[in-house]
Amino acid sequence: MLPMKVDLHCHSNVSDGVLAPAAVAAYARKGGVDAWALTDHDEIGGIKAARAKAEELGMRFVPGVEISVTWAGETVHLVGLQVDEDNATLVQGLAATRNGRDARGREIAAQLDQAGIPNAYEGALKYVGNPDLLSRTHFARYLCELGKCSNTSEVFRRYLTEGKPGYVPHRWATLADAMGWIRAAGGVPVIAHPGRYRFDATAEGALFDEFKQLGGNAIEVVTGSHTPDQYATYAEVARRYGFLASRGTDFHAPGESRVEFDQLPPLPSGVTPVWHDWF
Ligand code: AMP
Ligand code: MN
Ligand code: MN
Ligand code: MN
């Protein structure tokens, strides 16, 4: 029997993906996924529709979320898996975290206006599926529409990131708070795409140490947000720290992500999957 294909990191239009939750489920199934999590940024509003469609299609469903955290002055993403989407602590924590995105969006637009790109707030809103969750990704899609850049990665290189027009620093949740909300909802916190942060080895080690001290025991190893080299690097980190390993495309839109559902390799050997006792 073929091993189960598990994908535990995806976005719908409830955050910065383009497909509705049920359509992401169908797309994942078409890509061969057997067990699937929806992990929208700072939102659990898509979980019920995602679960219903996943079950209809015969996929195991894992309710999830990806929480924006500020750690050592940088944004770090924390995935929560197997969360109860009705838990009041989680629901309230996420609502507080989302708060402030709209004001940030208006500031991003003001900077882009200064850089000669007017009306970006209205332009980004055209791409928003959930008015509570205006993301830099929505600005990126609008800048592509204008022909300023040919893809969203180029937008992030030239705009929206530190030192570039449209970068507005933002204070997200603390690591301890985000872990607390996930735990309160019965979930498992997972450090998302650790290879994507601009930490040196010392800072990265401090993040893993603090996460472990707070009771964390899982990181993403194989993700569409890692390069293939990083799959091996973070498998080694997982073995060294005794962390469980997670896997997911970080899908946002067909053709927009680094890998599609049927292209992501399995976890390397010698790591224990975070889902080892779930299905
Ligand atoms: P926000 O939470 O609004 O700050 O937006 C963060 C989102 O922007 C991430 O979840 C990614 O989807 C996207 N993003 C960040 N950096 C890049 C990049 N270099 N290339 C493409 N997308 C990016
Ligand atoms: Mn995103
Ligand atoms: Mn992320
Ligand atoms: Mn993500």
Side-chain angles (χ1 to χ4, degrees), residues 190-202:
V190 183
I191 296 181
H193 42 65
R196 221 174 72 183
Y197 311 122
R198 298 171 314 162
F199 294 134
D200 61 19
T202 308

Side-chain angles (χ1 to χ4, degrees), residues 63-77:
V65 64
E66 181 176 18
I67 304 181
S68 313
V69 161
T70 300
W71 187 86
E74 292 283 335
T75 299
V76 166
H77 285 171

